[in-house]
Amino acid sequence: MEKKRTIKVDRREFIKCVGLGAGFFTLGKLDLAEAALLPPAKRKEKYDVVVIGTGLSGMSAAVAAQEKGAQVAILEKLPTGQDGGNSRLAGGFIAITRDKSPEAKEEYIKDFMKKSMEKGNLALTKILADQSLEAVEWLKVFGVELTDPMTVAGYNVKNVIFKPGPYQGMPKGLATLKSVFIKKGGKIFYDTKAKQLIMNEAGAVAGVRAQDAHGLKDYLAKAVIIATGGYSANKEMLEMFVDPNADEMMVRGLKTATGDGLLLAREAGAMWVNMGGMAAVHVAAVSPKNTAAGNPFMAIAYTVGINKEGKRYVDESLGYVANGKAAMKQPGQTVAMIFDENIKKQPGVTAAVNQFNRLGIEIIEAGSLSELAAKIEVPASNLEKTIAEFNAAVVNGSAPGAQPPKKAFAYKIETPKFYAFYPLVPGITITFGGIKINENAQALEPDGKIIRGLYAAGECAGGLFYEDYIGGGSLANCLVMGRIAGFHAATQAKQKKG
């Protein structure tokens, strides 16, 4: 009888064989087979640092690496002219501390952690608090135009916005960074999709094997920075990790945000964090006519949410993310946020109405609740009963006796005209799960071991947020951690030169 053999397989080999998208163990001899791994590329180029992705995190990383003297290349899977990833579609808000005092930084940390139910990554949050103002000043040095700081309602955090304003300034800001990068000798390779990380004999990441119109090409480097964004458009990952119904939600950003960077890092042994459940995604109920900007987020707390049955389904005062996640569970995943003539005068509601008008998105109007019910396609009797019960429960700005209760911003809906943001459907803004990193943006294995030569920044790096985040927090993450990744990757490259 043949003796039994014991084969030792380390984590990277195991993931290659049975993990997400690599090879398999053959039966019989138990030899390792890497059936899905790509063959060696015939074309090669060498750089100090290779960045994957042209969003704010990628461009910040690339320019920061250049400042340290690194020769940098960026790989972008989309065609020329489609730079920027989801950053290009973002509102352009960056969350900063009100000043550089220790008190301001503590307030920033407290606000961020509270918004993430105290489950966000405290170490990374402290870095954002410490460097957000500095990073914004750094952007200005390169000619990026930003507004003066403004207050974020309900928080001590402040926001600056890419000029000229929300949803208009991001493309301009990214174009400015791109121009700086090109002038400094950087190269961007479009229509070039990263397929595998290249590992050297020492177990460190040594480049990227990518595919373009001519086939495979190796981009060898002393450090690689993954800045590919999240997985909001990867229906398989959403259904697997978030919720069985999550794959049915609208994608507010690019349909190409498919988690490529997470898969690359996983095959190199990296750990994923904060991938499970609805706490791993940011969701808003948005207009299907404009999923990116058609979000009446400033109005949600003042309105009354109505589902297809004509009933309330959420405490609207909890904000637009709680509303978006609740909307996912409603019949047909379609809801209406209704208000009357008096509520329309609230500054946040006025701002949302103006935004929808600017975007050309219709706001439903009616002279009576029954007329409004017909226009938002709900039973009139149910809507009238729901509003009557809600109005009766309103006391001093709250409605504790309503079903569900409303803790704040409760106003009676009784003064014609009556209005509705409708239809609104749940859409994923960003995903919170991703590659585990340390304070230097280095990718980590589950045991905390650093994967040498591999960095991650922006939405593809997970753990910073949980359940929700303060407006401007995502771009602050992209900017600060992208810059850190670039600095450290370039420093590593210089050390290897020596």
Side-chain angles (χ1 to χ4, degrees):
M1 182 180 294
E2 184 179 2
K3 293 182 179 179
K4 294 182 179 179
R5 294 182 295 171
T6 301
I7 299 178
K8 288 186 66 178
V9 180
D10 66 23
R11 174 176 169 77
R12 289 194 183 94
E13 290 174 328
F14 180 78
I15 290 172
K16 284 181 181 179
C17 296
V18 298
L20 295 168
F24 52 87
F25 279 110
T26 59
L27 299 176
K29 293 185 178 181
L30 296 177
D31 293 327
L32 286 174
E34 298 179 345
L37 295 182
L38 298 170
K42 295 180 179 179
R43 297 174 296 147
K44 297 180 181 180
E45 291 191 19
K46 290 185 179 181
Y47 296 89
D48 295 322
V49 176
V50 169
V51 178
I52 312 173
T54 56
L56 183 60
S57 56
M59 293 308 305
S60 298
V63 173
Q66 285 181 323
E67 279 197 305
K68 288 289 185 179
Q71 185 183 13
V72 185
I74 302 177
L75 310 184
E76 172 56 62
K77 71 176 181 179
L78 294 178
T80 304
Q82 296 186 31
D83 314 67
N86 275 339
S87 296
R88 180 163 49 89
L89 304 178
F93 296 79
I94 302 175
I96 60 172
T97 55
R98 57 179 171 81
D99 55 45
K100 294 184 179 180
S101 67
E103 294 78 15
K105 293 175 182 179
E106 284 299 320
E107 290 169 353
Y108 187 100
I109 294 167
K110 184 177 180 180
D111 280 349
F112 265 63
M113 294 302 293
K114 182 179 179 180
K115 195 69 170 176
S116 287
M117 301 174 63
E118 306 298 332
K119 294 183 179 182
N121 188 308
L122 179 59
L124 297 182
T125 302
K126 287 180 177 179
I127 290 175
L128 264 60
D130 191 52
Q131 297 191 29
S132 59
L133 266 180
E134 177 187 332
V136 163
E137 294 303 317
W138 179 77
L139 279 181
K140 292 179 181 178
V141 169
F142 300 115
V144 175
E145 296 182 89
L146 300 162
T147 65
D148 292 332
M150 57 190 69
T151 301
V152 178
Y155 299 96
N156 294 298
V157 169
K158 292 202 169 189
N159 271 169
V160 294
I161 309 172
F162 285 82
K163 287 185 176 179
Y167 299 103
Q168 302 172 65
M170 276 307 303
K172 183 179 178 182
L174 290 169
T176 300
L177 284 178
K178 175 183 174 180
S179 177
V180 170
F181 176 71
I182 297 298
K183 287 179 180 178
K184 288 177 174 284
K187 294 183 179 181
I188 303 178
F189 296 89
Y190 293 98
D191 279 313
T192 300
K193 185 174 182 178
K195 301 291 286 186
Q196 287 178 0
L197 294 174
I198 300 170
M199 313 291 287
N200 64 22
E201 292 181 354
V205 172
V208 180
R209 184 158 295 162
Q211 185 174 14
D212 59 23
H214 304 289
L216 298 178
K217 183 176 179 180
D218 285 350
Y219 294 86
L220 304 178
K222 300 175 180 66
V224 172
I225 302 172
I226 298 176
T228 53
Y231 51 95
S232 56
N234 189 319
K235 292 182 179 296
E236 180 184 11
M237 293 179 74
L238 292 174
E239 186 176 355
M240 182 183 300
F241 293 108
V242 177
D243 186 274
N245 298 311
D247 62 314
E248 298 178 16
M249 288 191 285
M250 302 283 288
V251 179
R252 297 186 64 198
L254 295 180
K255 305 302 186 289
T256 52
T258 50
D260 299 350
L262 278 70
L263 299 173
L264 289 172
R266 184 67 175 264
E267 288 187 350
M271 180 182 180
W272 290 350
V273 291
N274 196 14
M275 297 288 291
M278 289 298 294
V281 293
H282 183 280
V283 181
V286 297
S287 169
K289 292 183 178 179
N290 189 325
T291 56
N295 175 17
F297 65 96
M298 292 175 283
I300 296 299
Y302 302 95
T303 63
V304 169
I306 299 294
N307 64 18
K308 296 296 287 184
E309 297 174 344
K311 300 176 181 179
R312 288 180 64 241
Y313 57 89
V314 70
D315 177 352
E316 301 87 352
S317 69
L318 297 176
Y320 76 99
V321 173
N323 178 61
K325 292 183 178 182
M328 194 188 79
K329 301 292 187 180
Q330 302 312 304
Q333 292 193 346
T334 303
V335 299
M337 310 308 297
I338 70 173
F339 53 103
D340 69 1
E341 199 67 48
N342 285 335
I343 296 173
K344 186 182 178 184
K345 297 174 185 178
Q346 292 289 335
V349 181
T350 299
V353 168
N354 291 340
Q355 179 178 325
F356 268 51
N357 288 336
R358 179 176 62 81
L359 295 170
I361 303 174
E362 180 188 11
I363 296 172
I364 305 300
E365 300 182 10
S368 66
L369 287 176
S370 60
E371 182 186 354
L372 185 71
K375 290 185 175 182
I376 63 174
E377 304 175 284
V378 304
S381 58
N382 287 1
L383 178 62
E384 290 172 337
K385 179 181 179 182
T386 295
I387 297 304
E389 292 176 348
F390 176 78
N391 287 346
V394 173
V395 180
N396 297 325
S398 65
Q403 294 299 323
K406 188 171 185 178
K407 295 180 181 178
F409 306 109
Y411 298 90
K412 293 181 179 181
I413 295 178
E414 56 187 4
T415 306
K417 290 182 177 180
F418 300 99
Y419 302 89
F421 295 107
Y422 175 84
L424 298 180
V425 296
I428 297 179
T429 310
I430 64 172
T431 49
F432 296 148
I435 303 161
K436 185 178 182 180
I437 60 171
N438 63 16
E439 293 89 333
N440 295 331
Q442 293 171 290
L444 303 176
E445 294 189 358
D447 58 6
K449 183 179 179 181
I450 293 169
I451 301 175
R452 287 177 294 163
L454 185 61
Y455 298 78
E459 193 181 340
C460 68
L464 177 61
F465 304 120
Y466 181 93
E467 183 67 36
D468 198 357
Y469 72 100
I470 291 175
S474 182
L475 290 185
N477 175 39
C478 291
L479 172 60
V480 172
M481 296 310 299
R483 186 168 170 249
I484 287 173
F487 283 165
H488 283 277
T491 299
Q492 174 182 319
K494 288 177 67 177
Q495 290 173 345
K496 285 190 176 183
K497 280 184 177 179

